[in-house]
Amino acid sequence: MEYQQLLEHIRAEVVPAAGRGRVADYIPALAAVDPGRFGMAVATVDGEVYGTGDWRLPLSIQSVSKVFSLALVLREDGEKIWSRVGREPSGHPFNSLLQLEHDQGIPRNPFINAGAIVVTDRLLTLTGDARSAVRDFLRTEGESSAVGFDPVVAASEADHGHRNAALAHLIASYGNLENPVPDVLDHYTWQCSVVMTCRELALAGRFLARHGTGASGERILSRSDAKRLNATMLIGGTYDSAGEVAYRVGLPAKSGVGGAILAIVPNRCAVAVWGPGLDASGNSVAGLAALDAFTTLTGWSVF
Ligand code: GLN
């Protein structure tokens, strides 16, 4: 089946699921998004891009940004981050405080909020401006200068960011932050507020399908680090549903509470899906249905 035909087929199958689930409302600005939206884009390793539905509408990538901040830290700083963040499944909600206390301030993986706060802290030390580093990377790899921040979403999250503040302070209490808590939270929150389209997101994730090679052919990550980042997405990218997503989809994937999911098919393509309605773990209901259909129809999974 051709890619375009495949995407249209999936959209027809999944559209009934668009609107199911609950739009994130703990960040009030996200609750204003139309729950019926659905978009999907595929960027192939050899440079083709396909899309369907709302694939050219800007969306709030939220925690999908965590993939790119980790990639930048791995690129700049090698393996050092793994002494400050684990790489095991969490089995807890993405904003859990419970586990962090138990693990004495070493977050279980880089994709729960606590882990991403530590990664952003390191990126801030390395670059002096973590949020711009993430945005600039997404502009380059996403091949679009339109990638930017949404100040309304950033302000809305900052106004309701008590849990993230609690996580950051708890991490700091264990000596696992290098920068002041307000600075780290500020960069983390802005990084989550990045807006871009499914098209741009699929393009930005493509280096992970290309074993670490970026849009212009330069190496972003070593082959090993690209493998490791994909593996970490598989075990932690969808939080306490990582097992279910491995079972249904069988691809490394990273979700965000804006309803986006980025999934990687090594050697073939990156897939970005968007549907704002979330399941109890904070993963897009329509997005997972679409990825489930994608791997079922193509037979492309890592298993
Ligand atoms: N900005 C959100 C938060 O920190 C991101 C969470 C997510 O997308 N899972 O809560």
Side-chain angles (χ1 to χ4, degrees):
M1 208 189 284
E2 297 291 323
Y3 275 107
Q4 193 60 44
Q5 227 185 322
L6 175 70
L7 291 181
E8 301 306 344
H9 181 94
I10 292 171
R11 185 162 70 100
E13 200 171 294
V14 163
V15 153
R20 289 210 205 119
R22 284 193 47 164
V23 175
D25 53 8
Y26 75 101
I27 301 174
L30 291 181
V33 176
D34 175 356
R37 295 274 178 215
F38 176 78
M40 184 167 188
V42 172
T44 71
V45 289
D46 43 21
E48 292 160 10
V49 192
Y50 303 88
T52 188
D54 298 318
W55 70 301
R56 288 178 181 274
L57 282 188
L59 59 99
S60 185
I61 67 167
Q62 292 297 319
S63 284
V64 185
S65 63
K66 293 168 181 169
V67 172
F68 303 102
S69 52
L70 178 60
L72 286 170
V73 166
L74 290 171
R75 181 174 77 177
E76 302 298 321
D77 210 22
E79 297 292 298
K80 292 185 202 133
I81 193 70
W82 300 121
S83 64
R84 297 177 56 194
V85 183
R87 43 181 189 252
E88 296 295 341
S90 71
H92 284 270
F94 62 80
N95 54 7
S96 169
L97 282 149
L98 199 66
Q99 192 169 55
L100 188 60
E101 169 81 346
H102 181 265
D103 292 345
Q104 307 211 318
I106 305 287
R108 211 36 97 83
N109 69 58
F111 296 138
I112 52 175
N113 286 9
I117 286 168
V118 172
V119 171
T120 298
D121 175 54
R122 187 63 194 149
L123 191 58
L124 185 53
T125 302
L126 291 167
T127 63
D129 186 351
R131 71 185 213 189
S132 299
V134 171
R135 181 207 50 202
D136 293 349
F137 181 86
L138 291 169
R139 281 185 176 169
T140 305
E141 291 304 310
E143 298 180 357
S144 168
S145 56
V147 175
F149 300 113
D150 184 336
V152 174
V153 169
S156 181
E157 173 158 0
D159 284 347
H160 296 80
H162 301 300
R163 282 193 87 85
N164 286 337
L167 289 168
H169 281 288
L170 192 54
I171 295 165
S173 80
Y174 284 105
N176 196 13
L177 280 191
E178 297 170 337
N179 296 283
V181 165
D183 295 353
V184 179
L185 284 173
D186 186 48
H187 282 270
Y188 169 83
T189 303
W190 278 89
Q191 156 197 320
C192 288
S193 84
V194 163
V195 276
M196 60 198 294
T197 65
C198 283
R199 180 183 201 279
E200 293 156 353
L201 190 55
L203 281 167
R206 192 179 44 171
F207 74 101
L208 288 168
R210 301 175 72 191
H211 303 292
T213 303
S216 60
E218 90 289 12
R219 184 155 284 290
I220 294 169
L221 292 179
S222 69
R223 214 181 157 90
S224 288
D225 275 341
K227 178 201 75 179
R228 291 166 179 159
L229 207 159
N230 280 332
T232 314
M233 283 169 75
L234 185 78
I235 62 94
T238 49
Y239 315 116
D240 46 342
S241 285
E244 178 68 11
V245 174
Y247 179 89
R248 282 180 65 193
V249 178
L251 292 175
K254 181 75 208 79
S255 64
V257 290
I261 307 177
L262 173 67
I264 307 299
V265 189
N267 293 319
R268 290 191 188 271
C269 58
V271 186
V273 270
W274 177 42
L278 307 176
D279 66 18
S281 300
N283 303 313
S284 167
V285 173
L288 285 181
L291 291 171
D292 187 342
F294 182 83
T295 53
T296 303
L297 290 165
T298 58
W300 298 343
S301 86
V302 296
F303 301 109

